[in-house]
Amino acid sequence: MLSQYCKIRFIWRNILFILPVSVVMSYTVASGQVIPIETKNSAMVLTVDKGHLLHVSYFGKKLEDKNDYIQFKQQLQQAGDPSGVSNAPYSTAGSRNLFEPAISVIHADGNTSLALQYVSSSIKKVSDDIVETSVQLKDPVYDFKVTLIYRAYQTENVVEQWAEILQNEQGDVRLNKFASANLYWYGRDFWLKQYHGDWAREMQPEVTKLSHGIKTLDTKLGTRADLFQPPIFMVSNGKAPEEDQGEVMLGSIEWSGNYRIDLELDNQNNLRVIAGMNNFADAYELAPGKLFKTPRFLYTLSQKGTGKASRDLQAWARKYRILDGQGSRLTLLNNWETTNFNFNEEKLKAILGDTKKLGVDLFLLDDGWFGNKYPRNDDHAGLGDWQANKKKLPNGIQAVVKQADQMGVKFGIWIEPEMVNPKSELYENHPDWVIKQPNRPEYYFRNQLVLDLSNPKVQDFVFGIVDSLFIKNPTLAYIKWDCNAVIYNAYSAHLKNQSELYVEYVRGLYKVLERIRAKYPKVPMMLCSGGGGRVDYAALKYFTEFWPSDNTDPLERIYLQWEYSYFYPAIASANHVTNWGSQPIKYKVDVAMMGKLGFDIPVSKLKPEELTFCKDAVKQYDQLSDVIWHGDQYRLVSPWNHDFASIMYVNTDKSKAVMFSYLVSNRYDAGSELPVKLKGLDAHKHYKIEEVNLYKGAKSKIKLNKENSYSGSFLMEVGFNPVVNAGRSSVVLVLTATD
Ligand code: DGJ
């Protein structure tokens, strides 16, 4: 068998090195053969057995010698697998599988069993960095096929995988479950880090050792789907997740609606991770010949802890996913926290002046600018009526945009286009566009209902909101897309099959976003959902940034941003300085600088020294943003178990770095007693250290040697003390290489 394997290995090697980009190579392998899904550092290895069944035979570090993959299983002495399919890469229901299935169907003839056998595979070199492997599976009895697709990003160590389901039976096949991915991980002791939350309390982490049975992470909220549980998680193998060591996988489902992730520890102590759209209330009737494509599941596997995993994921997200992820971002002044719904043209003109004074790029007009029959003066009315309110803005949005243009300030606007207040003309004119059960009383979330995006007419309407804003205001430079309600009483007047609503809603949303991006490819848009109620890697394809939380208290933000940073890069994190929290303005600005800086404060009420500080900080941010947005991030000191937190960013050639430190405890003498070991620097370079973001006239307290020159190796092995204490509760240090 080994010699046969060597042949295959030879083929694979050649395929990967010789194949020009975009060429597809198809082949059929015989039993005992091997399909490795590799990135630079990780591998998932599929093998085909004599009965044409496909197995996950290895999941872990990429091995130098591929022969070693098939030797791995010989070294296991685990309990037996009577079914012979428990390590299938796409477990079926109703036949031999004894565990949670990835797919469960009722065939056209009513049969409830599915078995999938290996047919063939192909690989496509999408680019020098991306290799896509497709594996075709088929039921030996029914004309039912599943293709598993693995897109492996070599340098970033990220794999996206999904399934494509196709049937040609005598009628519709009901898909009761239709996961995107089914991983199988050999081990004994696995730890899960998951998140829960609510409004203003997003991203609360919990770490638990997985016990036998199934742990399910899911949401059934429909829209604002991640409010209580975001679709991101990590699993470590062997010990609880650590920052710089140990094997850990970060995973997420790329879907903006209901998702379900099952983590099942089986009788052999191995872990299966099955992730996809949530099949709750969601059976799908698949017509013959119609392809059903699941969303993508993505993961990165690291043998060097969460630090390496998150840097890989962040690099992937910047390069391949987040809109303009390698570009730049606009600093801004938002009016929400300052005015709420209470503003008029005059007030906005004053805020435009403040925008200019602060030196940020853009003014963002928030909620409350629309609605006439039912003015949007609070959150009970007007949502859906996207005409400027004549009382507040007698000359329309155009007048404010014109004023902004004249002042050399960019203009952005808030919308919440998927929603409607019952008190609105939209609701009166199109009651059938609203998701609600016909026989039940309406029930509201923030006094509003969700529009039925499964309906193409509603899709046109939502697209039209954005389109007409751009048509009327060609210089419009930014959109904040909000989404504040969940789906209650799920029923669509448009759909024949109600159980498809949750899926079709999200597909409808993506159709709208596709159209927007086809016409307006570059305009920055913020993904907001009453805070972080919708942050995922499917939506971020259309958005340049997300709003992590309405909670902008900087102390809270240190924890929130810390946790988000495992999964999302700083360039996408919209961080605003507001009146939340009673910390000094410097603390607030320093925290907000660890991402995409914005302000939402009454600038006119700042003390002169505070205003000066903010203006200087905006200029400083312009100097540092390249490192923060595009550099590698290193979490140095965790706020969860220290008096202070430290995080740093290092640019690609390691010539510049910025380190942020914040006091998070107010206990006596709390602070940075010891030096902090830096990370990611070049051990052989020398760095000059400078403290920035100081109030005018304030002196830094950091202790520097005479030459102000430190080797990277000293800074990483011994460290540097940012001197954080009650008198210096936040400290920003810039490191510049001098050789
Ligand atoms: C929720 C958002 O998170 C806030 O920033 C603000 O835009 C309000 N909605 C407006 O209603």
Side-chain angles (χ1 to χ4, degrees), residues 47-105:
T47 52
V48 183
D49 72 14
K50 286 196 189 93
H52 304 285
L53 294 174
L54 195 63
H55 304 274
V56 181
S57 296
Y58 177 86
F59 182 61
K61 189 176 182 340
K62 178 179 178 176
L63 303 180
E64 270 302 300
D65 185 345
K66 291 180 181 46
N67 287 310
D68 291 344
Y69 289 138
I70 49 168
Q71 297 191 57
F72 165 72
K73 283 207 69 191
Q74 294 165 358
Q75 297 305 313
L76 298 178
Q77 281 206 67
Q78 296 182 311
D81 167 22
S83 72
V85 292
S86 69
N87 60 0
Y90 205 64
S91 308
T92 58
S95 50
R96 277 159 56 174
N97 173 37
L98 300 170
F99 294 99
E100 182 62 30
I103 182 165
S104 158
V105 309

Side-chain angles (χ1 to χ4, degrees), residues 307-308 310-316 318 570 626-635 647-654 656-658 679-680:
K308 165 88 171 108
S310 66
R311 281 186 291 282
D312 278 348
L313 191 51
Q314 291 187 8
W316 172 83
R318 285 193 300 261
D626 181 48
V627 186
I628 298 167
W629 294 341
H630 310 122
D632 278 329
Q633 188 200 45
Y634 294 84
R635 286 174 293 271
I647 297 107
M648 73 185 283
Y649 302 81
V650 184
N651 69 354
T652 323
D653 68 7
K654 299 178 186 295
K656 194 161 183 178
V658 52
K679 296 179 189 170

Side-chain angles (χ1 to χ4, degrees), residues 199 334 336 341 366-367 376 414 416 446 480 482 484 528-531 547 550:
W199 179 78
N334 191 190
W336 175 245
F341 298 94
D366 215 286
D367 196 355
R376 179 77 169 166
W414 177 98
E416 192 181 357
R446 207 197 185 200
K480 176 177 177 183
D482 208 345
N484 283 294
C528 172
S529 182
W547 183 235
D550 276 355

Side-chain angles (χ1 to χ4, degrees), residues 173-366:
V173 171
R174 170 170 289 215
L175 306 180
N176 280 324
K177 191 169 184 196
F178 31 85
S180 303
N182 181 169
L183 306 186
Y184 196 76
W185 201 352
Y186 296 87
R188 244 205 79 82
D189 302 301
F190 294 93
W191 275 260
L192 168 70
K193 184 170 182 184
Q194 64 180 98
Y195 295 88
H196 67 99
D198 203 335
W199 179 78
R201 288 191 287 123
E202 293 84 350
M203 293 297 284
Q204 306 294 320
E206 277 173 322
V207 180
T208 43
K209 185 163 187 265
L210 283 167
S211 57
H212 289 81
I214 302 182
K215 168 78 189 176
T216 299
L217 309 176
D218 81 336
T219 171
K220 303 181 179 76
L221 279 56
T223 49
R224 205 181 179 178
D226 311 337
L227 180 61
F228 303 141
Q229 185 142 54
I232 42 183
F233 67 99
M234 58 177 88
V235 177
S236 56
N237 188 349
K239 55 181 173 174
E242 286 179 27
E243 188 64 11
D244 293 310
Q245 33 178 306
E247 189 167 54
V248 65
M249 178 190 80
L250 307 191
S252 184
I253 181 79
E254 301 179 22
W255 185 244
S256 310
N258 293 349
Y259 67 84
R260 170 172 168 182
I261 299 159
D262 291 312
L263 301 118
E264 183 171 29
L265 202 56
D266 68 14
N267 64 316
Q268 299 177 290
N269 303 320
N270 297 326
L271 183 71
R272 49 179 55 218
V273 180
I274 298 182
M277 293 188 268
N278 200 340
N279 58 333
F280 155 81
D282 246 347
Y284 206 94
E285 297 297 331
L286 185 62
K290 205 174 155 205
L291 189 75
F292 185 93
K293 232 179 170 180
T294 71
R296 296 173 185 200
F297 172 72
L298 78 83
Y299 70 83
T300 178
L301 185 69
S302 149
Q303 276 74 37
K304 291 187 179 151
T306 49
K308 165 88 171 108
S310 66
R311 281 186 291 282
D312 278 348
L313 191 51
Q314 291 187 8
W316 172 83
R318 285 193 300 261
K319 191 163 170 197
Y320 293 111
R321 185 46 45 90
I322 292 166
L323 191 91
D324 203 18
Q326 292 177 307
S328 61
R329 295 293 184 269
L330 300 170
T331 51
L332 60 80
L333 177 64
N334 191 190
N335 70 312
W336 175 245
E337 298 283 337
T338 312
T339 66
N340 227 258
F341 298 94
N342 181 17
F343 56 82
N344 55 26
E345 199 176 297
E346 207 178 312
K347 267 196 195 171
L348 294 188
K349 280 188 182 163
I351 300 178
L352 279 174
D354 291 340
T355 312
K356 189 88 190 151
K357 211 187 281 171
L358 210 51
V360 290
D361 303 312
L362 177 132
F363 166 62
L364 169 60
L365 174 59
D366 215 286

